[in-house]
Coordinates of all heavy atoms in Angstrom, one line a residue:
S224 N 11.3 -17.9 6.2 CA 11.7 -16.9 7.1 C 10.9 -16.9 8.4 O 11.3 -16.2 9.4 CB 11.6 -15.5 6.5 OG 10.2 -15.2 6.3
A225 N 9.8 -17.6 8.5 CA 8.9 -17.6 9.6 C 8.2 -16.2 9.8 O 7.6 -16.0 10.9 CB 9.6 -18.0 10.9
L226 N 8.3 -15.4 8.8 CA 7.6 -14.1 8.8 C 6.3 -14.2 8.1 O 6.1 -15.2 7.3 CB 8.4 -13.0 8.2 CG 9.7 -12.6 8.9 CD1 10.6 -11.8 7.9 CD2 9.5 -11.9 10.1
E227 N 5.4 -13.3 8.3 CA 4.1 -13.3 7.6 C 4.2 -12.2 6.5 O 4.9 -11.2 6.6 CB 3.0 -13.0 8.5 CG 2.7 -14.1 9.5 CD 1.4 -13.9 10.3 OE1 0.9 -12.7 10.3 OE2 0.9 -14.8 10.9
L228 N 3.4 -12.5 5.4 CA 3.2 -11.5 4.3 C 1.8 -11.1 4.3 O 0.9 -11.9 4.1 CB 3.6 -12.1 3.0 CG 3.3 -11.3 1.7 CD1 4.3 -10.1 1.7 CD2 3.5 -12.1 0.5
D229 N 1.5 -9.8 4.5 CA 0.1 -9.3 4.5 C -0.1 -8.6 3.1 O 0.5 -7.6 2.8 CB -0.1 -8.3 5.6 CG -0.2 -8.9 7.0 OD1 -0.6 -10.1 7.0 OD2 0.0 -8.3 8.0
L230 N -1.0 -9.2 2.4 CA -1.3 -8.7 1.0 C -2.5 -7.9 1.1 O -3.6 -8.4 1.2 CB -1.5 -9.9 0.1 CG -1.8 -9.6 -1.4 CD1 -0.5 -9.3 -2.1 CD2 -2.5 -10.8 -2.0
H231 N -2.3 -6.6 1.2 CA -3.4 -5.6 1.3 C -4.0 -5.2 0.0 O -3.3 -5.1 -1.0 CB -3.0 -4.3 2.0 CG -2.5 -4.5 3.4 ND1 -3.4 -4.4 4.5 CD2 -1.3 -4.9 3.9 CE1 -2.7 -4.6 5.6 NE2 -1.4 -4.9 5.3
V232 N -5.4 -5.1 0.0 CA -6.0 -4.5 -1.2 C -6.7 -3.2 -0.8 O -7.3 -2.5 -1.7 CB -7.1 -5.5 -1.8 CG1 -6.3 -6.7 -2.4 CG2 -8.1 -5.9 -0.8
A233 N -6.7 -2.9 0.5 CA -7.3 -1.6 1.0 C -6.5 -1.2 2.2 O -6.0 -2.1 3.0 CB -8.8 -1.8 1.4
L234 N -6.4 0.1 2.5 CA -5.6 0.6 3.6 C -6.4 1.2 4.7 O -5.9 1.8 5.6 CB -4.6 1.6 3.1 CG -3.5 1.1 2.1 CD1 -2.5 2.1 1.7 CD2 -2.8 -0.2 2.7
S235 N -7.7 1.1 4.6 CA -8.6 1.6 5.7 C -9.9 0.8 5.6 O -10.3 0.3 4.5 CB -8.9 3.1 5.6 OG -9.6 3.4 4.5
D236 N -10.6 0.7 6.7 CA -11.8 0.0 6.7 C -12.9 0.8 6.1 O -12.8 2.1 6.1 CB -12.2 -0.3 8.2 CG -11.3 -1.2 8.9 OD1 -10.6 -2.0 8.2 OD2 -11.1 -1.2 10.1
P237 N -14.0 0.2 5.5 CA -15.0 1.0 4.9 C -15.6 2.0 5.8 O -16.0 1.7 7.0 CB -16.1 -0.1 4.5 CG -15.3 -1.4 4.5 CD -14.2 -1.2 5.5
G238 N -15.8 3.2 5.4 CA -16.4 4.3 6.1 C -15.5 5.0 7.2 O -15.9 5.9 7.8
L239 N -14.2 4.5 7.3 CA -13.3 5.0 8.3 C -12.6 6.2 7.7 O -12.7 7.4 8.2 CB -12.4 4.0 8.9 CG -11.5 4.4 10.0 CD1 -12.3 4.9 11.2 CD2 -10.6 3.2 10.4
F240 N -11.7 5.9 6.7 CA -11.0 7.0 6.0 C -11.3 6.8 4.5 O -12.1 5.9 4.1 CB -9.5 6.9 6.3 CG -9.2 6.9 7.7 CD1 -8.4 5.9 8.3 CD2 -9.5 8.0 8.5 CE1 -8.1 5.9 9.6 CE2 -9.2 8.0 9.9 CZ -8.5 7.0 10.4
H241 N -10.7 7.6 3.7 CA -11.0 7.6 2.2 C -9.7 7.5 1.4 O -9.5 8.3 0.5 CB -11.8 8.8 1.8 CG -13.0 9.1 2.7 ND1 -14.1 8.2 2.7 CD2 -13.3 10.1 3.5 CE1 -15.0 8.7 3.6 NE2 -14.5 9.8 4.1
I242 N -8.8 6.7 1.9 CA -7.5 6.5 1.2 C -7.8 6.0 -0.2 O -8.4 4.9 -0.4 CB -6.5 5.6 1.9 CG1 -6.2 6.3 3.3 CG2 -5.2 5.4 1.2 CD1 -5.3 5.4 4.2
D243 N -7.3 6.7 -1.2 CA -7.5 6.3 -2.6 C -6.3 5.4 -3.1 O -5.3 5.9 -3.5 CB -7.6 7.6 -3.5 CG -7.9 7.3 -4.9 OD1 -7.8 6.1 -5.4 OD2 -8.2 8.3 -5.7
E244 N -6.5 4.1 -3.0 CA -5.4 3.2 -3.4 C -5.0 3.3 -4.8 O -3.8 3.2 -5.1 CB -5.8 1.7 -3.0 CG -5.9 1.4 -1.6 CD -7.2 1.8 -0.9 OE1 -8.2 2.1 -1.6 OE2 -7.3 1.8 0.4
D245 N -6.0 3.6 -5.7 CA -5.6 3.7 -7.1 C -4.7 4.9 -7.3 O -3.7 4.8 -8.1 CB -6.9 3.9 -8.0 CG -7.8 2.7 -8.1 OD1 -7.2 1.6 -7.8 OD2 -9.0 2.8 -8.3
A246 N -4.9 6.0 -6.6 CA -4.0 7.1 -6.7 C -2.7 6.8 -6.2 O -1.7 7.3 -6.7 CB -4.7 8.3 -6.0
L247 N -2.6 6.0 -5.1 CA -1.3 5.6 -4.6 C -0.4 4.9 -5.7 O 0.8 5.1 -5.8 CB -1.4 4.7 -3.4 CG -1.4 5.3 -2.0 CD1 -2.5 6.3 -1.8 CD2 -1.4 4.3 -0.9
F248 N -1.1 4.0 -6.5 CA -0.4 3.3 -7.5 C 0.1 4.3 -8.6 O 1.2 4.2 -9.2 CB -1.2 2.2 -8.1 CG -1.2 1.0 -7.3 CD1 -2.2 0.6 -6.4 CD2 -0.1 0.1 -7.4 CE1 -2.1 -0.5 -5.7 CE2 0.0 -1.1 -6.6 CZ -1.1 -1.4 -5.8
E249 N -0.8 5.3 -8.9 CA -0.5 6.3 -10.0 C 0.7 7.1 -9.6 O 1.6 7.5 -10.4 CB -1.7 7.2 -10.2 CG -2.8 6.5 -10.9 CD -4.1 7.3 -11.0 OE1 -4.0 8.5 -10.6 OE2 -5.1 6.8 -11.4
R250 N 0.9 7.4 -8.3 CA 2.0 8.3 -7.8 C 3.2 7.5 -7.3 O 4.1 8.1 -6.9 CB 1.4 9.2 -6.7 CG 0.4 10.3 -7.2 CD 0.2 11.3 -6.0 NE -0.6 10.7 -5.0 CZ -1.9 10.8 -4.8 NH1 -2.6 11.5 -5.7 NH2 -2.6 10.3 -3.8
A251 N 3.1 6.2 -7.3 CA 4.2 5.4 -6.7 C 5.5 5.7 -7.4 O 5.6 6.1 -8.5 CB 3.8 3.9 -6.9
E252 N 6.6 5.4 -6.6 CA 7.9 5.7 -7.0 C 8.9 4.5 -6.7 O 8.6 3.7 -5.8 CB 8.5 6.9 -6.2 CG 7.6 8.2 -6.3 CD 8.1 9.3 -5.4 OE1 8.8 9.0 -4.4 OE2 7.8 10.4 -5.7
P253 N 9.9 4.4 -7.5 CA 10.9 3.4 -7.1 C 11.7 3.8 -5.9 O 11.7 5.0 -5.6 CB 11.8 3.3 -8.4 CG 11.7 4.7 -9.0 CD 10.3 5.1 -8.7
F254 N 12.3 2.8 -5.3 CA 13.1 3.1 -4.1 C 14.3 2.2 -4.1 O 14.2 1.0 -3.9 CB 12.3 2.9 -2.8 CG 13.0 3.2 -1.5 CD1 13.9 4.2 -1.4 CD2 12.6 2.6 -0.3 CE1 14.6 4.5 -0.2 CE2 13.2 2.9 0.9 CZ 14.2 3.8 0.9
D255 N 15.5 2.8 -4.3 CA 16.7 1.9 -4.6 C 17.2 1.1 -3.4 O 18.0 0.3 -3.5 CB 17.8 2.8 -5.1 CG 18.3 3.9 -4.2 OD1 17.8 4.0 -3.1 OD2 19.1 4.7 -4.6
A256 N 16.6 1.4 -2.2 CA 17.0 0.6 -1.0 C 16.2 -0.7 -0.9 O 16.5 -1.5 0.0 CB 16.8 1.5 0.3
L257 N 15.3 -0.9 -1.7 CA 14.5 -2.1 -1.7 C 14.7 -2.9 -3.0 O 15.3 -2.4 -4.0 CB 13.0 -1.8 -1.6 CG 12.6 -1.1 -0.2 CD1 11.1 -0.9 -0.2 CD2 13.0 -2.0 1.0
P258 N 14.3 -4.2 -3.0 CA 14.5 -5.0 -4.1 C 13.9 -4.5 -5.4 O 12.9 -3.8 -5.4 CB 13.9 -6.4 -3.7 CG 13.9 -6.3 -2.2 CD 13.6 -4.9 -1.9
P259 N 14.4 -5.0 -6.6 CA 13.7 -4.6 -7.8 C 12.2 -5.0 -7.8 O 11.9 -6.0 -7.2 CB 14.5 -5.4 -8.9 CG 15.8 -5.6 -8.2 CD 15.6 -5.8 -6.8

């Protein structure tokens, strides 16, 4: 596709914010407009 895929393991730099990525996975939801 000539597009890039950014595989993130964190959503903020250390010390900047405190986004809890583990909690994001716990609360994640399906979305029928995207692929399985």
